[in-house]
Amino acid sequence: MKLIYLTLIIFIVTALAQKKPGSCPPNVQVSECKYTCFSDKYCEGNLKCCRTQCGGTTCLQPVTSRLPGSNKAKPGHCSSNPTGPWVCSNRCSVDGDCRGKRKCCKNRCGAMECAIPLDYDDTVRVK
């Protein structure tokens, strides 16, 4: 029994350790409804294993890659009452995953996505 638990732990740690940088694109609209990969390690090069709109998985080019030093918070605040579509999978982890002035905020489903902060002012240049 201990051998089974040990094997399971090794499998999980190995799968998590092989996660590639970047995020999957939102709303993957491909007609692949079966699992063609189970984690990033099943995908070639820098491709990531992403969920499709109909519930399958496929290998796709990531849409974001985190640069060194990009973990700093961007100015502005996230909405406490987000609106928009019900997308229930994370699209970012930190503000640095988002382009431009967008911040990584919770959406109405509770998942993280890039959003324009409430106090965004495009006349003020952020250094």
Side-chain angles (χ1 to χ4, degrees):
M1 190 60 131
K2 289 182 182 180
L3 183 59
I4 292 172
Y5 286 124
L6 181 61
T7 304
L8 181 61
I9 290 171
I10 290 172
F11 176 76
I12 291 170
V13 168
T14 302
L16 291 176
Q18 295 183 4
K19 186 171 177 148
K20 296 176 185 175
S23 300
C24 289
N27 298 324
V28 178
Q29 297 182 8
V30 295
S31 59
E32 187 60 60
C33 297
K34 60 184 176 184
Y35 288 90
T36 60
C37 57
F38 297 98
S39 71
D40 290 351
K41 75 175 185 174
Y42 290 91
C43 301
E44 294 182 6
N46 69 334
L47 299 180
K48 293 187 64 63
C49 184
C50 302
R51 298 213 36 126
T52 63
Q53 198 170 33
C54 66
T57 59
T58 191
C59 295
L60 295 171
Q61 189 73 31
V63 292
T64 60
S65 293
R66 194 169 294 149
L67 300 172
S70 64
N71 288 343
K72 294 191 315 185
K74 293 181 181 178
H77 298 90
C78 295
S79 172
S80 58
N81 284 327
T83 59
W86 286 89
V87 178
C88 298
S89 58
N90 292 329
R91 302 295 180 214
C92 59
S93 298
V94 295
D95 288 351
D97 291 340
C98 303
R99 294 181 181 186
K101 306 293 184 207
R102 292 179 177 264
K103 293 181 65 66
C104 188
C105 301
K106 284 188 179 181
N107 65 17
R108 62 194 287 187
C109 188
M112 303 302 287
E113 71 176 4
C114 296
I116 296 174
L118 288 177
D119 45 0
Y120 175 75
D121 181 359
D122 61 0
T123 62
V124 177
R125 183 167 276 208
V126 179
K127 295 177 186 176

